[in-house]
Amino acid sequence: LTQSESNREPVAKEEEDSGEEEDGDSESTNEDSDCVNKCSEGVKKNCRSEKQSAAALCISVGSFSDPANLPGLAHFLEHMVFMGSEKYPAENGFDAFLKKHGGSDNASTDCERTIFKFDVQRKYLREALDRWAQFFIGPLMIPDAVDREVEAVDSEYQMAQPLDSNRKEMLFGGLAKAGHPMSKFFWGNAQTLKNEPREKNIDTYEHLREFWRRYYSAHYMTLAVQSKETLDNLEEWVREICIKIPNNGQPRADFSDLQDPFDTPDFNKLYRVVPVRKIHALTISWALPPQGKHYRVKPLHYISWLIGHEGAGSVLSLLRKKCWALALFGGNSESGFDQNTTYSIFSVSITLSDEGFHNFFQVIHIVFQYLKMLQSVEPQQRIYEEIQKIEANEFHYQEQMEPIEFVANICENMQLFPKEDFLRGDQLMFEYNSEVISAPLTLLTPATANILLLSPEHDGHCPLNEKWFGTQYSVEDIPEEYRDLWAGDFPLNPDLHLPAENRFIATDFTLKTSDCPDTDFPVKIIDNERGRLWFRKDNNLVLFDLFVNILAHNLAEPAYDADVAQLEYMLFPGDHGLFIRLKGFNHKLPLLLNLIVDHLANFSTAPNVFSMYIEQLKKTYYIILIKPDRLGRDVRLQILEHHRWSVMQKYEAIMADLGVTDLMDFVNRFKAELFVEGLIQGNFTSAESKEFLQYFIEKLQYKAPPAEPPVLFRVVELPQTHHLCKVQSLNKADANSEVTVYYQTGLKNLREHTLMELLVMHMEEPCFDFLRTKETLGYQVYPSCRNTSGVLGFSVTVETQATKFSTDFVEGKIEAFLVSFGEKMVNLSDEAFQTQVTALIKLKECEDTQLGEEVDRNWFEVVTQQYVFDRLNKEIEVLKNVTKDELVSFFMEHRHTSSRKLSIHVCYLFAESILFLKHREDRKWSLQAK
């Protein structure tokens, strides 16, 4: 039990969410956040100290315990316990209760643990705890709900299929010894949980009940609760409510005797895989003895720190110089897949360039050379203590986590560490021990490595198919040439060496004395024709994308020490300019900014680096477009904002013959005429803050533009009729479709935006209940508040399986929901309306967990040039006098037959060849444009 304290892109990404911010939405803020909970996190006064209360429960059982004849049962049970209880039988009653009181909930199933969590306003914590605990005391799990909820599990599985990370895990798990739980199908789907059990007369419902009785037992559970209530109150509530959770006294599931699951001939081979994304990726993996017991030393963290280093002498530094790689990640994620009681995985994952792919064996050899170099010397105490110091700085000066995430982390830690380390066991390195570090390090040899190579060039050459995700792959022995080389005493590479001392580690944490009046909101301290700076003391877009990618590449090595010393920086090509964002200890932050500005001022690129990023951006744009949700968003914004460059247009433009000269001409024009606007917030004085902007001016020597540049697009006013746009999904391996129905309301003003937030908040739970729980249309179902460059609207989105429902059918169901929602709003009681208003006010009053939340709100005001820093206070005043009739009228006004409606369908299979737009009048359809 913990008591809350009251004072307290794109760059061409290589991870699974590659290019996720490609069209600039999050930084340029052309379109605000997609859900009301995020929308409602606006500006807060310092005097507000309330934050959400939260609870999380971890059960020491997961997918390893699935019965052999019902793959995915643990995951399915995690879904089912939420479907009502004996005391509170309404299926979505808990979700509805949380939505009314500003809360949320979630759950996840891992290999050996399952976690449930929720947050809610403090006033309603006790009641929420009681409702939540009933899922572990007396869940209903009625047969009818079982049949319907299996469709949600199946939808989740279908959505997981197009992700290469999931496909790699399923393929990798299949290499385990027969009978080891790692080879099980953890996701579950309609086939394993409904169709096959019926064919084999297996009673899924009874197995669910039995699994719950066997494993959902109090002695398997750890609970964490956080609130500003007194600890005595919290303990009393927990004892009173949770005492009824049954305790069957049976021994826990234990898999620790199943060691060396990958000690098989199939493991030490080369697997070629056809990826969904157009990328070249290499993963080298080792299966080691379980390392969890060594948490005080954290040997894999030490090794991963070195193998993942990006400074001089590192693997990635050498690969970048050869233009063979764009990114490298090494280590153990500490997820159940990577670390459990049977093994620990150590992996080196490298995103390869085209040239790197064609030289992938040489890339592997460089990794093996670096590991051999590490094995040839004793683990370095100097480096260990440097890492230890950085981790300690991060731990002691960390910003608070969101309460719901904090309790989830703590309740899992309670399963892993002794009680004195519940809060720190997963974060700190306690003691240097060379023997403990050397033990796994010596096992990282070529003879025990698994090699996984992903490339679209493997298409047509991979005859094997993984059973569950259909991943195409082939398997082959390591070529004799390399097997013999790696078996011998191969020489070390002189370009590979240990990192030098890190000069960016902060040592001065003194709080600055303010040199300007204390204010609740930022104040303007510079305003002239070349820039504007706000301060608050606190205790050719393709060429542009290329420019920012290569600038990040140029900075990668010199700024790496700053990155590992907890100084974060981000370079982002927004729709209207370059964003540079820095965060970290103030002591060395100016040093990092100067480094970035120096590289900006002296920008240059080599032809081979330019070519590498041309190819990488092609892949990045493609990766965005094959995701139905991103393609749908791109199409919608292309229709609404005619001057926006869509990702499709960028993809077409980058296929043109661009050269280094084109890029340098663009960069020189970009740097010649600028307007710089910034926000400094944190432990600086205003005098120090002015030096940030001054360094830009002095170093870049730019001129002021003739007029201050615009920061928003002009938005098309939709005609008062229904427009429908269908586009075929570009990913043939993704059997999911997406439907978004968008209603445009008009120019944003503060009152209408607040009404829209309140409306969408009312809509969330009924939308989930109608479209997912009852209609079982898909796993992802949500309404959104839309702010598109200052034009307001709302939408409802459903991601569905094309094999089950057509997009036209789904849109019909969305319309049916909106009709039923309108009736629900008309009949809404005054009490229910006021409860939702109060919940939204409480959300806006909730204390910031991190400084970054306040900075994000203030930066939104700066970057959109609105400067309403006390926006939340004004919105709260609106909420205090809004009426139910006003909200109902607002909804009905924009839902009548002449509403401004745009539907976007991303279809898995579609008869028309590319894209068309049509409108509907009196249920008659006609082709308008093609």
Side-chain angles (χ1 to χ4, degrees):
L1 301 173
T2 66
Q3 228 176 336
S4 301
E5 297 181 30
S6 59
N7 297 315
R8 292 285 294 179
E9 180 161 8
V11 175
K13 300 179 183 178
E14 277 68 53
E15 300 90 339
E16 190 62 57
D17 67 341
S18 181
E20 195 66 25
E21 303 301 339
E22 170 57 33
D23 48 29
D25 226 25
S26 70
E27 281 299 321
S28 64
T29 59
N30 296 321
E31 182 162 298
D32 208 349
S33 119
D34 280 349
C35 69
V36 70
N37 283 344
K38 293 180 182 176
C39 284
S40 59
E41 293 172 359
V43 184
K44 297 139 186 167
K45 283 185 179 178
N46 289 342
C47 62
R48 299 193 184 113
S49 59
E50 191 71 42
K51 57 161 62 79
Q52 293 285 82
S53 295
L57 182 142
C58 181
I59 310 175
S60 60
V61 67
S63 299
F64 273 9
S65 297
D66 281 347
N69 58 358
L70 283 171
L73 190 70
H75 178 212
F76 188 28
L77 179 58
E78 170 231 301
H79 277 244
M80 281 305 305
V81 294
F82 279 104
M83 307 295 285
S85 64
E86 293 170 4
K87 185 174 180 179
Y88 302 102
E91 279 190 3
N92 280 332
F94 185 59
D95 280 339
F97 177 83
L98 292 178
K99 290 293 187 295
K100 287 179 182 176
H101 304 301
S104 63
D105 65 331
N106 212 333
S108 60
T109 305
D110 212 324
C111 295
E112 296 177 294
R113 285 178 293 282
T114 302
I115 295 177
F116 298 86
K117 59 189 178 182
F118 77 88
D119 64 1
V120 74
Q121 293 164 16
R122 172 189 168 191
K123 180 179 178 181
Y124 301 97
L125 173 62
R126 192 191 184 288
E127 185 177 352
L129 268 175
D130 185 49
R131 290 173 175 269
W132 186 62
Q134 299 307 312
F135 299 140
F136 314 109
I137 296 170
L140 281 183
M141 294 196 291
I142 59 176
D144 180 56
V146 169
D147 285 342
R148 283 184 282 106
E149 193 61 20
V150 76
E151 297 301 325
V153 173
D154 190 65
S155 178
E156 189 176 356
Y157 157 71
Q158 295 289 346
M159 290 175 60
Q161 278 193 309
L163 299 179
D164 285 319
S165 59
N166 296 330
R167 297 162 79 88
K168 284 167 57 180
E169 283 193 359
M170 284 304 307
L171 179 59
F172 191 89
L175 303 180
K177 296 175 183 176
H180 190 278
M182 197 61 237
S183 61
K184 292 181 177 180
F185 173 52
F186 298 150
W187 290 88
N189 60 16
Q191 177 187 346
T192 67
L193 296 169
K194 183 171 70 174
N195 301 335
E196 286 185 1
R198 284 179 179 171
E199 293 170 4
K200 298 176 181 178
N201 293 318
I202 297 171
D203 189 339
T204 302
Y205 174 73
E206 184 51 42
H207 277 77
L208 275 170
R209 282 283 182 188
E210 176 56 32
F211 197 97
W212 180 85
R213 287 191 292 265
R214 169 67 178 85
Y215 294 112
Y216 278 45
S217 176
H219 70 303
Y220 289 172
M221 299 177 178
T222 49
L223 174 69
V225 183
Q226 176 174 329
S227 179
K228 286 189 66 180
E229 299 292 338
T230 66
L231 290 176
D232 287 343
N233 277 352
L234 291 179
E235 184 171 356
E236 179 186 344
W237 294 351
V238 168
R239 287 185 182 277
E240 179 184 332
I241 292 169
C242 296
I243 194 68
K244 299 175 185 177
I245 296 177
N247 187 335
N248 59 36
Q250 296 188 45
R252 293 187 179 203
D254 185 2
F255 302 93
S256 59
D257 60 322
L258 302 176
Q259 302 286 303
D260 301 320
F262 295 102
D263 184 17
T264 69
D266 290 336
F267 190 75
N268 183 222
K269 293 183 183 294
L270 168 63
Y271 288 80
R272 298 178 185 266
V273 177
V274 179
V276 174
R277 302 182 299 159
K278 285 190 174 180
I279 60 163
H280 305 301
L282 170 69
T283 300
I284 310 168
S285 302
W286 292 264
L288 306 171
Q291 298 294 309
K293 63 183 177 181
H294 300 305
Y295 78 92
R296 295 188 64 81
V297 179
K298 293 184 173 59
L300 297 190
H301 190 55
Y302 171 86
I303 301 169
S304 67
W305 186 279
L306 293 173
I307 197 73
H309 204 274
E310 300 182 20
S314 68
V315 172
L316 186 58
S317 174
L318 179 56
L319 293 177
R320 278 176 171 155
K321 288 173 183 175
K322 293 178 177 290
C323 288
W324 285 356
L326 296 104
L328 183 151
F329 305 94
N332 179 294
S333 70
E334 299 182 6
S335 67
F337 180 90
D338 266 13
Q339 183 155 295
N340 52 62
T341 57
T342 75
Y343 68 86
S344 290
I345 291 294
F346 188 90
S347 297
V348 180
S349 296
I350 304 171
T351 304
L352 302 171
S353 65
D354 289 354
E355 189 176 349
F357 167 70
H358 293 116
N359 292 280
F360 77 91
F361 275 117
Q362 289 94 317
V363 172
I364 297 171
H365 186 56
I366 289 173
V367 173
F368 288 164
Q369 286 178 310
Y370 190 85
L371 287 171
K372 185 178 179 181
M373 182 270 292
L374 293 183
Q375 293 160 352
S376 68
V377 297
E378 185 178 3
Q380 301 294 294
Q381 188 165 356
R382 171 190 68 84
I383 294 175
Y384 187 93
E385 289 176 350
E386 193 172 84
I387 303 169
Q388 196 175 33
K389 186 183 299 182
I390 290 170
E391 301 291 354
N393 283 350
E394 182 178 20
F395 177 78
H396 291 298
Y397 296 98
Q398 66 183 303
E399 294 184 301
Q400 292 186 31
M401 298 170 65
E402 290 290 341
I404 191 172
E405 300 305 327
F406 180 71
V407 291
N409 188 57
I410 295 304
C411 75
E412 184 172 23
N413 284 357
M414 293 166 71
Q415 302 264 358
L416 301 173
F417 310 119
K419 65 181 180 181
E420 63 269 19
D421 291 329
F422 285 170
L423 298 178
R424 58 182 187 168
D426 59 334
Q427 298 185 58
L428 293 180
M429 299 172 72
F430 297 88
E431 56 197 32
Y432 168 77
N433 186 315
S434 62
E435 292 182 3
V436 171
I437 296 172
S438 294
L441 180 58
T442 57
L443 299 177
L444 303 180
T445 65
T448 56
N450 172 269
I451 299 171
L452 204 63
L453 182 66
L454 280 72
S455 173
E457 294 191 21
H458 292 157
D459 196 10
H461 304 287
C462 294
L464 304 176
N465 283 274
E466 190 276 322
K467 177 180 179 180
W468 298 108
F469 281 37
T471 307
Q472 299 174 42
Y473 71 98
S474 67
V475 57
E476 60 193 74
D477 291 328
I478 307 298
E480 185 176 358
E481 171 193 357
Y482 285 98
R483 193 168 63 247
D484 293 344
L485 171 65
W486 294 332
D489 187 19
F490 54 87
L492 300 180
N493 190 315
D495 292 329
L496 300 173
H497 56 79
L498 293 171
E501 184 178 351
N502 190 334
R503 67 192 179 103
F504 284 94
I505 300 176
T507 56
D508 181 1
F509 303 102
T510 306
L511 292 177
K512 306 284 186 180
T513 301
S514 180
D515 61 347
C516 65
D518 288 337
T519 62
D520 284 335
F521 306 109
V523 295
K524 196 186 306 178
I525 57 175
I526 296 179
D527 191 6
N528 58 43
E529 70 280 0
R530 291 200 289 184
R532 183 182 300 127
L533 187 66
W534 296 83
F535 168 75
R536 182 178 173 226
K537 176 75 172 65
D538 184 278
N539 294 332
N540 162 326
L541 289 180
V542 172
L543 288 171
F544 194 22
D545 287 350
L546 277 168
F547 164 50
V548 178
N549 272 272
I550 295 173
L551 177 60
H553 172 88
N554 294 347
L555 277 164
E557 187 171 312
Y560 181 73
D561 278 349
D563 183 49
V564 299
Q566 312 304 328
L567 300 183
E568 302 174 18
Y569 73 96
M570 185 183 75
L571 308 175
F572 186 87
D575 293 306
H576 302 280
L578 172 64
F579 294 89
I580 302 175
R581 184 162 186 165
L582 290 82
K583 174 186 176 184
F585 300 121
N586 63 285
H587 183 200
K588 298 296 180 75
L589 210 59
L591 186 64
L592 176 58
L593 178 69
N594 292 351
L595 181 66
I596 294 172
V597 176
D598 290 346
H599 276 75
L600 178 60
N602 302 313
F603 179 85
S604 64
T605 185
N608 58 347
V609 173
F610 176 85
S611 299
M612 179 172 68
Y613 278 98
I614 282 279
E615 294 306 314
Q616 189 61 23
L617 271 175
K618 290 178 184 176
K619 296 169 187 173
T620 299
Y621 296 151
Y622 176 80
I623 288 166
I624 293 169
L625 292 170
I626 64 173
K627 297 180 180 180
D629 59 329
R630 297 307 306 274
L631 178 59
R633 178 180 179 280
D634 193 55
V635 170
R636 174 171 52 82
L637 292 180
Q638 187 178 0
I639 292 171
L640 294 175
E641 300 176 327
H642 278 179
H643 294 290
R644 168 188 287 270
W645 275 56
S646 70
V647 183
M648 183 66 79
Q649 289 172 315
K650 288 184 180 183
Y651 185 78
E652 293 170 349
I654 203 169
M655 303 304 287
D657 188 20
L658 297 174
V660 174
T661 302
D662 299 311
L663 176 62
M664 293 309 300
D665 287 346
F666 166 79
V667 173
N668 290 333
R669 292 196 308 272
F670 173 80
K671 293 192 295 183
E673 195 174 88
L674 294 173
F675 183 86
V676 179
E677 186 158 10
L679 170 69
I680 312 292
Q681 192 161 337
N683 191 29
F684 289 103
T685 64
S686 64
E688 288 173 324
S689 300
K690 293 176 182 178
E691 295 174 5
F692 282 81
L693 182 57
Q694 192 59 37
Y695 196 79
F696 270 96
I697 295 172
E698 292 176 357
K699 197 70 180 180
L700 293 172
Q701 294 294 310
Y702 59 88
K703 295 180 181 178
E708 192 171 320
V711 298
L712 298 173
F713 292 103
R714 296 189 66 183
V715 179
V716 172
E717 182 179 13
L718 291 174
Q720 290 181 313
T721 185
H722 177 200
H723 282 71
L724 168 65
C725 178
K726 288 194 177 186
V727 58
Q728 184 175 350
S729 172
L730 301 179
N731 184 2
K732 295 179 181 179
D734 187 351
N736 295 296
S737 297
E738 184 189 81
V739 176
T740 294
V741 177
Y742 165 76
Y743 286 89
Q744 188 181 71
T745 59
L747 288 174
K748 173 190 173 185
N749 61 46
L750 192 139
R751 188 171 189 87
E752 283 211 342
H753 187 265
T754 306
L755 281 171
M756 186 65 77
E757 284 187 286
L758 184 59
L759 177 68
V760 173
M761 196 173 190
H762 272 281
M763 196 181 291
E764 284 182 323
E765 191 279 327
C767 177
F768 185 94
D769 183 56
F770 189 102
L771 297 173
R772 174 174 156 172
T773 302
K774 291 187 171 62
E775 296 293 342
T776 65
L777 295 180
Y779 184 71
Q780 289 282 10
V781 172
Y782 54 91
S784 302
C785 174
R786 302 285 186 184
N787 171 16
T788 308
S789 287
V791 174
L792 204 59
F794 72 90
S795 66
V796 176
T797 298
V798 174
E799 293 184 32
T800 191
Q801 292 168 244
T803 53
K804 294 181 178 178
F805 306 106
S806 71
T807 56
D808 291 335
F809 177 82
V810 171
E811 173 154 354
K813 291 297 183 181
I814 292 175
E815 286 302 312
F817 157 68
L818 290 172
V819 170
S820 72
F821 175 72
E823 295 169 353
K824 180 182 178 73
M825 291 299 293
V826 170
N827 297 316
L828 189 69
S829 69
D830 292 337
E831 180 184 4
F833 169 77
Q834 196 55 50
T835 297
Q836 203 77 72
V837 170
T838 302
L840 186 52
I841 290 175
K842 288 293 185 182
L843 277 175
K844 292 176 183 293
E845 290 178 337
C846 195
E847 177 190 17
D848 288 322
T849 306
Q850 301 178 356
L851 173 64
E853 296 174 10
E854 183 178 340
V855 173
D856 285 343
R857 289 194 307 275
N858 290 336
W859 181 239
F860 171 81
E861 299 299 332
V862 171
V863 80
T864 58
Q865 296 182 350
Q866 297 179 85
Y867 313 118
V868 186
F869 295 110
D870 62 341
R871 183 179 300 279
L872 260 194
N873 298 332
K874 295 179 182 298
E875 290 176 343
I876 288 171
E877 291 306 310
V878 170
L879 287 169
K880 286 178 179 178
N881 59 47
V882 74
T883 65
K884 187 189 82 169
D885 290 343
E886 182 181 7
L887 184 65
V888 172
S889 297
F890 179 74
F891 174 69
M892 294 303 185
E893 177 187 352
H894 301 293
R895 267 283 301 149
H896 53 63
T897 54
S898 60
S899 58
R900 306 181 192 278
K901 175 183 174 183
L902 172 64
S903 301
I904 305 293
H905 294 194
V906 179
C907 308
Y908 170 59
L909 292 174
F910 182 54
E912 298 294 333
S913 57
I914 284 286
L915 176 71
F916 69 84
L917 188 66
K918 59 185 180 180
H919 68 275
R920 175 166 64 188
E921 293 178 357
D922 299 326
R923 296 176 180 249
K924 295 179 181 178
W925 297 85
S926 62
L927 190 65
Q928 186 182 46
K930 183 174 181 179

